Amino acid sequence: MDAASTRSFALQDAIFARSTQFFAMLVLVTLLAILGSLVYGAWPTITQVGPKFLVDGAWDPVRSLFGGLAPLWGTIITATIAMIIAVPVSFGIAIFLTEMCPPVLKRPLGTAVELLAAIPSIIYGMWGLFVFAPLFGEYVQPALTATVGKLPIIGILFQGQPIGIGVLSAGIILSVMVIPFTASVMRDVFETTPAILKESAYGLGATTWEVMWNVVLPYTKTGVVGGVMLGLGRALGETMAVTFVIGNAYNISLKLFDPGNSIASSLANEFNEASDPLHLSALISLGLVLFLLTFCVLAASRWMLSSLAKREGKRT
């Protein structure tokens, strides 16, 4: 190889390295720019309301009273309901598709799951409002009140007017939206497990559940946590589907049948009509809270993965 070719290859490598570095830094700069713009827009609320914004449930634009506790409460509760339902269902779907599904059904079912993930959120919201909510209010909510609602402690969660829309309905709709994302990621990472590991476990007499729990899940835990975090991020930030069925009331209640609100639905409902600077700043503050909440969830997931890795090293 002559000197000219060597210099050409070195130049290409340098251009490639600088390009990838630029793209990586562009992501960081964009993230910091988004954070900076949110802090700038929320600064009037931060200076005038202060930390009280996170613990005050009052929201009255007419009297310039703004508290973000009700939307924050609704966001956390609906996302929690969604993940409680979605994670085990997604895990079961992924197990069936990778280990137990007949070959003739594997591709059609996998495609159906992916198609569910591609449905726009507003379609889920319309289906939830016009189909799910009436049936849920007429049949499911009265049954829950008559059974689970009479139990001590947890019974209060399933009491209230069976109107079909509310926090529980929003959480269930969110779970339907989250399941395809989480199940698809889990299925893909489960399929990366080397076949020899699973065959060895089966050869030792392990059941399908033991293979999944003791072999596949430890091998793919990073991808599984990533799939769960992807679903949680979708649940925390979902807008239109929640707006249709949550009731859009600034309400803090332990009763899951009552209407509520979320940060995303508050922004969708009021951002275009916020003429008062403090009102607009309060809405941007809600966006900042959602940004920080998502960041904390991601940080917690990374911490959990690092803790699992350290414990594995100690066992080894």
Side-chain angles (χ1 to χ4, degrees), residues 292-303:
L292 296 176
L293 179 62
T294 306
F295 178 81
C296 291
V297 169
L298 178 61
S301 67
R302 301 304 303 175
W303 175 81

Side-chain angles (χ1 to χ4, degrees), residues 9 27 33 49 75 99 107 112 123 129 153 223 229 257 259 273 282 287 300:
F9 288 141
V27 174
V49 182
T75 300
E99 299 295 325
R107 183 178 294 275
I123 303 300
L129 180 63
I153 302 177
M229 290 301 109
F257 292 172
E273 301 175 357

Side-chain angles (χ1 to χ4, degrees), residues 159-235:
Q159 296 177 0
Q161 295 297 323
I163 57 178
I165 61 174
V167 174
L168 182 59
S169 299
I172 295 175
I173 296 297
L174 278 179
S175 70
V176 176
M177 298 180 61
V178 166
I179 285 172
F181 287 90
T182 309
S184 297
V185 174
M186 286 186 179
R187 180 200 61 187
D188 292 339
V189 298
F190 285 169
E191 290 179 345
T192 63
T193 306
I196 190 172
L197 295 179
K198 296 188 289 186
E199 292 171 357
S200 300
Y202 283 124
L204 293 174
T207 63
T208 302
W209 170 252
E210 290 173 334
V211 170
M212 294 301 300
W213 187 256
N214 297 315
V215 178
V216 177
L217 193 58
Y219 187 85
T220 60
K221 62 180 180 297
T222 302
V224 171
V225 172
V228 173
M229 290 301 109
L230 177 64
L232 180 56
R234 178 71 185 272

Side-chain angles (χ1 to χ4, degrees), residues 258-305:
D258 289 348
N261 213 344
S262 70
I263 293 177
S265 62
S266 298
L267 295 175
N269 286 324
E270 301 186 27
F271 202 87
N272 195 41
E273 301 175 357
S275 58
D276 180 47
L278 186 59
H279 187 190
L280 181 62
S281 176
L283 293 173
I284 297 176
S285 299
L286 288 178
L288 178 61
V289 170
L290 183 59
F291 182 92
L292 296 176
L293 179 62
T294 306
F295 178 81
C296 291
V297 169
L298 178 61
S301 67
R302 301 304 303 175
W303 175 81
M304 182 178 65
L305 288 175

Side-chain angles (χ1 to χ4, degrees), residues 66-193:
F66 300 104
L69 182 59
L72 179 60
W73 172 265
T75 300
I76 295 175
I77 295 300
T78 53
T80 302
I81 294 172
M83 299 312 296
I84 289 174
I85 299 173
V87 170
V89 173
S90 301
F91 189 69
I93 292 173
I95 291 176
F96 179 77
L97 291 178
T98 56
E99 299 295 325
M100 305 172 66
C101 183
V104 69
L105 294 177
K106 189 172 184 179
R107 183 178 294 275
L109 289 178
T111 303
V113 172
E114 293 172 353
L115 287 175
L116 285 175
I119 296 176
S121 61
I122 193 171
I123 303 300
Y124 282 106
M126 294 172 62
W127 172 78
L129 180 63
F130 296 113
V131 178
F132 175 80
L135 296 176
F136 190 69
E138 184 175 357
Y139 299 104
V140 180
Q141 286 184 327
L144 290 175
T145 302
T147 54
V148 186
K150 295 182 178 180
L151 297 177
I153 302 177
I154 65 171
I156 190 175
L157 298 175
F158 302 95
Q159 296 177 0
Q161 295 297 323
I163 57 178
I165 61 174
V167 174
L168 182 59
S169 299
I172 295 175
I173 296 297
L174 278 179
S175 70
V176 176
M177 298 180 61
V178 166
I179 285 172
F181 287 90
T182 309
S184 297
V185 174
M186 286 186 179
R187 180 200 61 187
D188 292 339
V189 298
F190 285 169
E191 290 179 345
T192 63
T193 306

Side-chain angles (χ1 to χ4, degrees), residues 121-126 237-245 264-265 268:
S121 61
I122 193 171
I123 303 300
Y124 282 106
M126 294 172 62
E238 180 51 44
T239 305
M240 295 310 301
V242 174
T243 303
F244 271 90
V245 297
S265 62

